[in-house]
């Protein structure tokens, strides 16, 4: 949720030509009834509430636009500019709809799917092609061009789309099938707790201050501006030394890899940078004056 709030407002730069964004592809893995969905829904609440406010604003603007358009068609005024809906969370969509929504939301968007297998099974549902390759490219945050017959090409120069959802353990083989070779699988973070006890019910209530404070933290991260010269932060000297040591130790492991972990480990090198952005942004959300650098 913090990564989505950051969006395209912030990047980390390790070397001159090495930049990264806070994009995450995450799956929460657990058996049915182990309470995967409720905590995720709680975490997503600040973004859901923002979307609700934006939708209300969009409907009001569209009502005015519709009236102005009717007046213009009668020759009594100029053609008005159609308002755009600033939607952040998407659950069911085609690639074309995703791209058009992203073009109206330069900060970025979130794909939030309670059951991720539905998202995976929808690949290529509406057209013959390779949606998997599109998502492999979006992970990098690069530009993306979508060309379709009978519609204008869509060119997004600065993509930011994060994905989160839940997954049952029995679905992992289907989720992974055919996706190792393309690199798609290696881009995913799987949260799969070793302790899998079913939750016990009690009468304890959540302090109302907790969701209120969480919303305040996310809303403050949303104040980070989006502009042409986005904020780029670098690692302090101490942080850079820590990262170098870890990176090179991981490279030694990959050189002697017998378990097929090298490709996934390469993505962990990037995820380490991405989480460094998120941690700095969360400190800012909690009251830190500004974001200057990635600390040790």
């Amino acid at each position: 949720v913090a990564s989505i709030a950051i969006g395209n407002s912030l990047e980390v730069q390790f070397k001159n030509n090495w930049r990264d964004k806070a994009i995450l592809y995450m799956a929460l893995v657990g058996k049915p009834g182990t309470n995967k969905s409720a905590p995720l829904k709680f975490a997503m609440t600040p973004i859901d509430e923002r979307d609700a406010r934006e939708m209300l604003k969009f409907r009001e603007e569209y009502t005015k636009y519709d009236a102005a358009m009717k007046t213009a068609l009668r020759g009594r005024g100029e053609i008005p500019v159609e308002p755009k809906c600033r939607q952040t969370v998407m659950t069911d969509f085609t690639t074309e709809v995703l791209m058009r929504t992203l073009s109206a939301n330069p900060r970025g968007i979130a794909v939030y799917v309670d059951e991720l297998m539905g998202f995976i099974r929808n690949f290529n549902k509406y057209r013959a092609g390779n949606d998997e390759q599109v998502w492999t490219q979006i992970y990098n945050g690069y530009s993306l061009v979508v060309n379709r017959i009978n519609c204008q090409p869509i060119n997004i120069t600065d993509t930011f789309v994060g994905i989160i959802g839940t997954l049952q353990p029995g679905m992992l083989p289907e989720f992974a099938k055919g996706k190792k070779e393309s690199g798609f699988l290696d881009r995913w973070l799987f949260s799969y707790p070793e302790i899998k006890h079913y939750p016990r019910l009690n009468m304890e209530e959540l302090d109302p201050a907790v969701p209120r404070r969480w919303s305040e933290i996310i809303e403050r991260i949303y104040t980070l501006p989006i502009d042409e010269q986005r904020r780029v932060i670098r690692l302090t000297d101490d942080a850079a030394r820590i990262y170098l040591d870890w990176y090179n130790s991981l490279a030694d492991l990959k050189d002697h890899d017998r378990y097929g972990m090298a490709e996934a480990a390469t993505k962990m090198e990037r995820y380490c940078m991405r989480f460094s952005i998120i941690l700095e942004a969360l400190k800012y959300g909690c009251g830190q004056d500004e974001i200057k650098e990635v600390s040790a």
Side-chain angles (χ1 to χ4, degrees):
V1 174
S3 78
I4 296 300
I6 296 164
N8 274 320
S9 70
L10 194 62
E11 285 186 356
V12 63
Q13 181 174 355
F14 185 67
K15 298 174 72 173
N16 287 342
N17 294 318
W18 180 351
R19 289 188 180 186
D20 224 327
K21 303 179 185 181
I23 298 170
L24 307 180
Y25 285 10
M26 297 186 68
L28 310 184
V29 184
K31 293 179 181 179
T34 52
N35 207 16
K36 304 184 297 297
S37 300
L40 179 53
K41 180 174 174 56
F42 167 81
M44 288 292 294
T45 298
I47 298 181
D48 288 336
E49 290 176 344
R50 285 183 67 90
D51 266 11
R53 294 194 298 268
E54 288 294 334
M55 182 58 71
L56 182 62
K57 179 182 176 182
F58 171 74
R59 286 173 178 167
E60 292 172 349
E61 290 177 349
Y62 200 88
T63 298
K64 295 176 182 177
Y65 161 80
D66 193 41
M69 178 62 80
K70 290 175 181 176
T71 300
L73 291 175
R74 291 195 295 267
R76 299 177 182 176
E78 296 182 356
I79 299 294
V81 177
E82 185 174 355
K84 294 181 179 180
C85 182
R86 301 283 183 178
Q87 179 183 358
T88 300
V89 180
M90 302 192 73
T91 56
D92 186 22
F93 49 85
T94 63
T95 303
E96 290 86 347
V97 170
L98 175 81
M99 291 297 102
R100 293 190 187 283
T101 304
L102 193 56
S103 67
N105 294 272
R107 191 175 205 95
I109 59 178
V111 173
Y112 168 32
V113 188
D114 191 32
E115 292 289 347
L116 275 170
M117 279 315 305
F119 167 73
I120 297 297
R121 288 167 180 161
N122 273 339
F123 279 7
N124 309 323
K125 178 179 177 181
Y126 300 99
R127 66 179 180 90
N130 195 352
D131 285 342
E132 182 182 314
Q133 191 58 45
V134 170
W135 285 104
T136 300
Q137 190 173 345
I138 288 175
Y139 168 88
N140 297 316
Y142 298 157
S143 61
L144 192 66
V145 179
V146 178
N147 293 293
R148 296 288 181 267
I149 297 174
N150 299 326
C151 68
Q152 294 292 326
I154 308 169
N155 182 13
I156 311 296
T157 58
D158 214 6
T159 56
F160 190 105
V161 186
I163 315 173
I164 192 162
T166 65
L167 193 63
Q168 296 179 24
M171 295 289 103
L172 283 168
E174 183 181 349
F175 185 94
K177 186 177 180 181
K179 297 177 179 64
K180 182 70 175 173
E181 294 76 9
S182 67
F184 179 78
L185 186 65
D186 297 325
R187 286 161 167 76
W188 282 82
L189 296 169
F190 296 92
S191 174
Y192 193 1
E194 293 180 8
I195 299 173
K196 306 177 184 69
H197 299 309
Y198 287 94
R200 270 54 175 174
L201 184 64
N202 60 53
M203 297 302 293
E204 188 176 339
E205 297 284 0
L206 183 67
D207 185 341
V210 175
R212 186 167 58 248
R213 183 68 181 122
W214 175 234
S215 291
E216 289 170 356
I217 291 168
I218 295 303
E219 285 297 324
R220 188 160 195 253
I221 294 174
Y222 264 107
T223 65
L224 294 169
I226 297 285
D227 52 40
E228 292 284 326
Q229 302 296 321
R230 78 163 56 86
R231 191 172 309 185
V232 178
I233 57 174
R234 301 196 69 149
L235 281 67
T236 64
D237 290 343
D238 286 345
R241 280 192 290 270
I242 292 170
Y243 185 71
L244 278 169
D245 289 344
W246 174 77
Y247 185 104
N248 292 332
S249 296
L250 192 60
D252 290 339
L253 288 175
K254 290 193 291 183
D255 284 339
H256 302 90
D257 176 30
R258 292 179 295 169
Y259 305 104
M261 54 74 74
E263 293 86 354
T266 298
K267 298 301 179 291
M268 294 306 107
E269 294 160 2
R270 297 190 65 179
Y271 268 129
C272 184
M273 289 285 99
R274 295 180 181 204
F275 276 106
S276 75
I277 305 172
I278 295 168
L279 289 170
E280 294 301 330
L282 281 168
K283 287 194 288 185
Y284 173 77
C286 290
Q288 180 175 279
D289 289 340
E290 58 181 310
I291 302 174
K292 296 180 179 179
E293 58 198 7
V294 173
S295 66

